Amino acid sequence: MRKTPRQQRSREMVNRLLDATAATLAERGLDHTTTNHIAERAGVSIGSLYQYFPDKNALVEALLERMAEEASARFRYRAERADFSQMDLRSVASLAIAYGMQRMSADPVVRELVQNWNRIPIRKLLDPLERFFLVMAQPYFLHRYRDYPVQNLEAKLYVLINAVLFTVIHFHEQENPVIRQDQLIQTLTDMIVGLLEAPQPASPNG
Amino acid sequence: MRKTPRQQRSREMVNRLLDATAATLAERGLDHTTTNHIAERAGVSIGSLYQYFPDKNALVEALLERMAEEASARFRYRAERADFSQMDLRSVASLAIAYGMQRMSADPVVRELVQNWNRIPIRKLLDPLERFFLVMAQPYFLHRYRDYPVQNLEAKLYVLINAVLFTVIHFHEQENPVIRQDQLIQTLTDMIVGLLEAPQPASPNG
Amino acid sequence: MRKTPRQQRSREMVNRLLDATAATLAERGLDHTTTNHIAERAGVSIGSLYQYFPDKNALVEALLERMAEEASARFRYRAERADFSQMDLRSVASLAIAYGMQRMSADPVVRELVQNWNRIPIRKLLDPLERFFLVMAQPYFLHRYRDYPVQNLEAKLYVLINAVLFTVIHFHEQENPVIRQDQLIQTLTDMIVGLLEAPQPASPNG
Amino acid sequence: MRKTPRQQRSREMVNRLLDATAATLAERGLDHTTTNHIAERAGVSIGSLYQYFPDKNALVEALLERMAEEASARFRYRAERADFSQMDLRSVASLAIAYGMQRMSADPVVRELVQNWNRIPIRKLLDPLERFFLVMAQPYFLHRYRDYPVQNLEAKLYVLINAVLFTVIHFHEQENPVIRQDQLIQTLTDMIVGLLEAPQPASPNG
DNA sequence: CATGAATGAGTATTCATTCAT
DNA sequence: AATGAATGAATACTCATTCAT
């Protein structure tokens, strides 16, 4: 069969281009990232780039998807190590936020992309994460469900993910934030716990 | 006096240009808004535009400032009508979010600008609002302080404002959001109340 | 009579504009000197400027003429003090060049203008000087004529004036000239003397 | 080999652009020469122009270099034909000036460039010429050195090249020069001979 | 399949000059 | 006469995309 090696080459090429996209994005920012830069960085002709991706947007989209997969894998790995089900919500939330913030400082690509969320199909990155968290959180909530049933779990997770994510990004972007990082984490944790654990007999939604 | 009519003309021109900026922004998005578009839309020569604003950025900045002023005025007006101090937190929050979302749907300029928060001096718009909310909320919290003292009010408001704002914006941007608008408002309200009203004896932050 | 004060006012205005032109020229260079700059510097509206000068070029031209007059006056003054007729050609030439170079270093306007000789009617400045030198030199050569008749005096002066002038200007412009200033003056002096004093029996030109 | 035709194409393009630059320069003058004009004249898209030259300045600079090379080649060719070492200084100088003036009348590009010498890296053009003349003149001066040693040869050549060059250019530029062309050549020749051949026992320069 | 030369619409900004007030 | 707001053609340079080789 001829197909396998070809597919493999193709895959390599795609990965190389995606790596180059990420690197260029981190280095120059979305605004100053050009397809020619990406091709050059990938050590590939611009023509070849367009053989694998129809346009610049597709490139970013694919990168987003790959990052989502990687992030899911990373989270899964961590989740397997640490037995979250044994921890209380507060600890889990606090840990997750701290971990996320560290990831964000470490990965300029994530920052660059999320900063420009409106110009890219950011859901490609966020949706998998949201789904993943939902799945991850399932056992926890199932376990507590009888005592503290959480209504509207989907809406709550949606809100929390967005809220935490963009607040953290915005915080990161500010030169002189009005609050400290530990205050931010603490308050975000409080917010999460407040929404998920507090008894809400008054909420008639849904 | 010669000065008044001239200043007035100048003011009119500035306003016309700002209106044109807003309209073009709403129509074409920040990326495809050019100074020539703005001038044309304002019915003014490009040269005149540059007589009033040194560059494109100044135009956006001025628009941001004008919007912040307008928004503050609008909020103040509403705050004076409705006696928030008589309402409970849940009602106030719910009303404010609903009002904000309605404003946001109604005003594509706000959307366009906030979407591009990272590429514009968005704080020009947000800072006054943040300050305004703080001032507005002051009497309410002062009033309840004895019964339900709120620790870390500053950090909490910072988090809530950012969280609510960007979640709402993101929600707006999505074509097929996974939750309904009423769910969003309800959940955000829950989140606000959860953070502000819940007893937090465990929070040892500074 | 009404005319005198008006003419005087006009003259003042012209001078003010010319001063402003010179100052702006020295500060920003011909390329970045705009009529609006000049008007502003003169404390006059741009409209008034165009009442006195039909266009930008006329402004420069008039400045050139005024400078030529001033330079002539200065030279005449110096010539009256120092009795050139008592000095030998070498001394006169050497002195004149040194003086000219000092003037040139001291006056950025002169430099800026002469640098742009091709884009302005530089003859407005050079012609009077040429004529002046010719007149100044006349008595000297007349005086020596019997002993050392100089053939083709006009052509020689033409050549020397241009040669010296532009060599000096070019020298001034260079950041790292290949020769020193004293060498330049010495060589130019040699050149002048060589052309004017050497016996030229072989020159059969008309 | 793939390289040769590509390099050749590239070279052709560069030459085409340089030709277009020269033509446009001659036609419109440096001030009114735009990169778009050049590209259009070269029958090439503006994008292509910028693929070969980073900016307008680089274009002019490259043209200057090419012209210097061409001029050197031409001079060398002529020098090989005519055995200058057999001619006296007067004849060589006279011939060189006449030849240079003819070249200058024939080549408006040279004129345009030298006229704008202060706005372009004119040394790119002059330095090679200066060096060339020095080399060319070497045998002559070597030959005469024992009998008539020329002091300060470098300074003298510097002065003469500048003096002759700009006087000729200026002469060319004038609509009604006060002297005739043959007088100019004659006088310049006298000047050169006067400076180089006359005994200068009085020159104490370093 | 790969290449990379070629494309050209698009963008922010400047400045001499006019003319209604 | 004086003003200065308004004009708009002009300019250098970018970058996503195509297509002949």
Side-chain angles (χ1 to χ4, degrees):
Chain A
M1 265 187 298
R2 254 256 222 63
K3 231 172 176 180
T4 323
R6 202 178 282 172
Q7 279 192 355
Q8 194 172 332
R9 266 224 293 174
S10 166
R11 216 174 216 153
E12 263 175 41
M13 176 71 98
V14 163
N15 272 324
R16 207 140 41 112
L17 284 168
L18 257 28
D19 289 343
T21 305
T24 313
L25 235 33
E27 237 176 40
R28 321 179 61 109
L30 181 60
D31 272 322
H32 299 107
T33 290
T34 75
T35 49
N36 283 289
H37 283 145
I38 294 172
E40 193 182 2
R41 176 135 210 163
V44 158
S45 77
I46 179 68
S48 291
L49 184 153
Y50 275 91
Q51 207 110 43
Y52 288 93
F53 295 94
D55 56 23
K56 191 186 177 182
N57 195 51
L59 219 32
V60 174
E61 213 164 304
L63 176 62
L64 245 25
E65 272 165 11
R66 199 182 71 171
M67 286 171 64
E69 277 168 28
E70 286 170 1
S72 292
R74 249 193 319 273
F75 280 131
R76 200 181 329 272
Y77 176 81
R78 276 184 78 88
E80 277 162 9
R81 304 257 129 181
D83 188 2
F84 288 143
S85 63
Q86 296 303 327
M87 301 162 69
D88 66 338
L89 179 58
R90 176 169 299 277
S91 307
V92 175
S94 180
L95 238 71
I97 294 171
Y99 175 64
M101 287 191 75
Q102 173 231 310
R103 288 274 323 141
M104 191 152 289
S105 331
D107 196 341
V109 182
V110 174
R111 254 201 345 256
E112 183 62 28
L113 287 175
V114 188
Q115 268 170 47
N116 291 280
W117 59 303
N118 61 299
R119 302 198 291 160
I120 57 175
I122 190 72
R123 293 223 62 79
K124 284 266 153 67
L125 177 57
L126 260 39
D127 278 352
L129 286 184
E130 208 172 309
R131 243 177 290 126
F132 175 77
F133 277 126
L134 221 67
V135 171
M136 276 287 89
Q138 213 72 357
Y140 171 81
F141 291 113
L142 245 42
H143 174 255
R144 300 178 63 89
Y145 191 71
R146 199 169 295 173
D147 308 328
Y148 310 100
V150 178
Q151 295 173 335
N152 265 336
L153 186 56
E154 196 181 20
K156 281 174 179 159
L157 284 178
Y158 174 87
V159 163
L160 285 178
I161 286 172
N162 279 285
V164 170
L165 191 60
F166 285 107
T167 306
V168 164
I169 292 164
H170 194 190
F171 178 84
H172 247 295
E173 234 29 55
Q174 286 184 276
E175 294 183 346
N176 302 309
V178 292
I179 64 173
R180 296 192 317 271
Q181 173 154 347
D182 63 297
Q183 287 179 304
L184 178 69
I185 295 179
Q186 176 66 51
T187 310
L188 285 172
T189 305
D190 289 346
M191 189 174 80
I192 293 171
V193 174
L195 186 60
L196 290 179
E197 286 209 328
Q200 293 129 6
S203 285
N205 41 352
Chain B
M1 268 183 298
R2 255 259 219 55
K3 232 172 175 177
T4 323
R6 202 173 287 171
Q7 279 192 355
Q8 194 173 330
R9 264 225 290 176
S10 168
R11 214 173 217 157
E12 264 173 40
M13 174 71 100
V14 163
N15 274 324
R16 204 141 43 113
L17 284 169
L18 257 28
D19 291 343
T21 304
T24 314
L25 235 33
E27 237 177 38
R28 318 180 61 110
L30 181 61
D31 274 322
H32 300 106
T33 289
T34 75
T35 49
N36 284 291
H37 284 144
I38 294 173
E40 194 180 0
R41 175 135 211 161
V44 157
S45 77
I46 180 65
S48 290
L49 183 153
Y50 276 92
Q51 207 125 41
Y52 287 93
F53 295 94
D55 54 23
K56 190 185 174 180
N57 195 52
L59 220 31
V60 174
E61 216 165 297
L63 177 61
L64 245 26
E65 272 164 12
R66 198 183 71 172
M67 286 171 62
E69 278 168 29
E70 286 170 1
S72 291
R74 250 193 318 270
F75 280 130
R76 200 183 328 274
Y77 176 81
R78 278 185 76 89
E80 277 161 10
R81 304 259 127 178
D83 188 2
F84 288 145
S85 62
Q86 295 305 326
M87 300 162 70
D88 65 339
L89 178 58
R90 176 169 299 277
S91 308
V92 174
S94 177
L95 238 73
I97 294 170
Y99 175 64
M101 288 193 72
Q102 172 232 309
R103 287 278 320 141
M104 191 153 288
S105 334
D107 196 340
V109 182
V110 174
R111 245 176 18 232
E112 181 60 29
L113 287 174
V114 187
Q115 270 169 45
N116 290 279
W117 56 293
N118 61 301
R119 304 196 294 157
I120 56 174
I122 190 71
R123 297 222 63 81
K124 283 263 155 64
L125 177 56
L126 259 38
D127 277 351
L129 287 183
E130 209 172 307
R131 242 178 290 125
F132 177 78
F133 279 127
L134 225 66
V135 172
M136 274 293 83
Q138 212 73 359
Y140 172 81
F141 290 112
L142 245 44
H143 173 256
R144 301 181 62 94
Y145 192 72
R146 197 170 294 174
D147 307 330
Y148 309 101
V150 179
Q151 294 174 336
N152 268 334
L153 185 57
E154 197 181 20
K156 280 174 179 159
L157 284 178
Y158 174 87
V159 164
L160 285 177
I161 287 171
N162 279 284
V164 170
L165 194 59
F166 286 110
T167 305
V168 164
I169 292 163
H170 193 188
F171 178 83
H172 247 293
E173 229 31 51
Q174 289 184 269
E175 293 182 346
N176 301 311
V178 293
I179 64 173
R180 294 192 318 272
Q181 172 155 347
D182 64 295
Q183 286 179 304
L184 178 69
I185 297 180
Q186 176 66 50
T187 309
L188 286 172
T189 306
D190 289 346
M191 189 174 79
I192 295 172
V193 175
L195 186 60
L196 291 178
E197 287 210 326
Q200 293 129 6
S203 285
N205 41 353
Chain C
M1 267 190 295
R2 254 258 221 60
K3 229 172 177 180
T4 322
R6 202 179 281 174
Q7 279 191 354
Q8 194 172 332
R9 265 226 292 175
S10 167
R11 213 173 219 154
E12 264 175 41
M13 176 71 99
V14 163
N15 272 323
R16 207 141 40 113
L17 285 169
L18 257 28
D19 290 343
T21 305
T24 314
L25 235 31
E27 237 176 40
R28 320 178 61 109
L30 181 61
D31 274 323
H32 300 105
T33 290
T34 75
T35 49
N36 283 289
H37 284 144
I38 294 173
E40 193 183 1
R41 176 135 209 164
V44 159
S45 77
I46 180 65
S48 291
L49 183 154
Y50 276 90
Q51 207 111 45
Y52 288 94
F53 295 93
D55 55 23
K56 190 186 178 182
N57 196 52
L59 219 32
V60 175
E61 214 164 301
L63 176 62
L64 246 24
E65 272 165 10
R66 199 182 71 171
M67 286 171 64
E69 277 167 29
E70 286 169 1
S72 292
R74 252 193 316 272
F75 280 131
R76 200 182 328 273
Y77 175 81
R78 276 184 78 88
E80 276 162 9
R81 304 257 129 181
D83 187 1
F84 289 143
S85 61
Q86 296 302 328
M87 301 163 70
D88 66 338
L89 179 58
R90 178 168 298 277
S91 309
V92 175
S94 178
L95 239 73
I97 294 170
Y99 175 65
M101 289 193 72
Q102 173 232 310
R103 287 276 321 141
M104 191 154 287
S105 332
D107 195 340
V109 182
V110 174
R111 256 202 338 261
E112 182 61 30
L113 287 174
V114 187
Q115 269 169 47
N116 292 279
W117 57 295
N118 61 299
R119 302 198 291 160
I120 56 175
I122 190 71
R123 296 224 61 79
K124 283 266 153 64
L125 177 55
L126 259 38
D127 278 351
L129 286 183
E130 207 173 308
R131 243 177 289 124
F132 175 77
F133 278 126
L134 223 66
V135 172
M136 273 292 84
Q138 212 73 0
Y140 173 80
F141 290 111
L142 245 42
H143 174 255
R144 302 177 63 90
Y145 191 70
R146 200 169 294 173
D147 308 330
Y148 310 100
V150 179
Q151 294 173 335
N152 269 335
L153 185 57
E154 198 180 19
K156 281 174 180 160
L157 286 178
Y158 174 88
V159 164
L160 285 178
I161 287 171
N162 280 283
V164 170
L165 193 60
F166 286 110
T167 305
V168 164
I169 291 164
H170 193 189
F171 177 84
H172 246 293
E173 231 30 52
Q174 287 183 271
E175 294 184 346
N176 302 310
V178 292
I179 65 174
R180 296 193 316 273
Q181 172 156 347
D182 64 295
Q183 287 178 303
L184 177 69
I185 296 180
Q186 177 66 52
T187 309
L188 286 172
T189 306
D190 289 346
M191 190 175 78
I192 293 170
V193 175
L195 185 60
L196 291 177
E197 288 207 328
Q200 294 128 6
S203 285
N205 39 354
Chain D
M1 267 181 297
R2 257 260 219 53
K3 232 172 178 179
T4 322
R6 203 173 286 170
Q7 279 192 354
Q8 194 173 331
R9 266 224 290 175
S10 169
R11 218 174 214 154
E12 262 173 42
M13 175 70 100
V14 164
N15 274 324
R16 204 139 46 110
L17 284 169
L18 256 28
D19 290 343
T21 305
T24 314
L25 235 33
E27 237 177 39
R28 320 180 59 111
L30 181 61
D31 272 321
H32 300 105
T33 290
T34 75
T35 49
N36 284 291
H37 284 144
I38 294 173
E40 195 181 358
R41 175 134 209 163
V44 156
S45 77
I46 181 65
S48 289
L49 183 153
Y50 277 92
Q51 207 126 40
Y52 287 93
F53 295 94
D55 56 23
K56 190 185 175 181
N57 195 51
L59 221 30
V60 174
E61 216 164 299
L63 177 61
L64 244 25
E65 271 164 14
R66 199 183 71 171
M67 286 171 64
E69 277 168 29
E70 285 171 1
S72 292
R74 252 195 314 273
F75 280 131
R76 199 181 326 275
Y77 176 80
R78 278 183 76 88
E80 277 161 11
R81 305 256 127 182
D83 188 1
F84 288 143
S85 63
Q86 296 303 326
M87 299 162 72
D88 66 338
L89 180 58
R90 176 169 300 278
S91 307
V92 174
S94 178
L95 239 71
I97 295 170
Y99 175 63
M101 287 192 73
Q102 173 232 309
R103 287 276 322 140
M104 192 153 286
S105 334
D107 196 341
V109 182
V110 175
R111 250 189 0 246
E112 182 61 27
L113 287 175
V114 186
Q115 269 169 48
N116 289 279
W117 99 92
N118 60 301
R119 302 197 293 159
I120 58 175
I122 190 71
R123 296 224 62 80
K124 284 263 155 67
L125 177 56
L126 259 39
D127 278 351
L129 287 183
E130 211 170 307
R131 243 177 290 126
F132 177 78
F133 279 126
L134 222 66
V135 172
M136 276 287 91
Q138 212 73 358
Y140 170 81
F141 291 113
L142 245 44
H143 174 254
R144 300 180 60 93
Y145 191 71
R146 200 168 293 172
D147 308 329
Y148 310 99
V150 179
Q151 295 173 335
N152 265 338
L153 186 57
E154 197 181 19
K156 280 174 180 158
L157 285 177
Y158 174 87
V159 164
L160 285 177
I161 285 171
N162 279 284
V164 171
L165 192 59
F166 287 109
T167 306
V168 164
I169 292 161
H170 194 186
F171 178 83
H172 248 296
E173 233 30 52
Q174 287 183 275
E175 293 183 347
N176 302 310
V178 291
I179 65 173
R180 295 193 317 273
Q181 172 155 348
D182 64 298
Q183 286 178 303
L184 178 69
I185 296 178
Q186 176 66 51
T187 309
L188 286 171
T189 305
D190 289 346
M191 190 175 79
I192 294 170
V193 174
L195 186 61
L196 290 179
E197 287 209 327
Q200 293 130 9
S203 285
N205 40 356

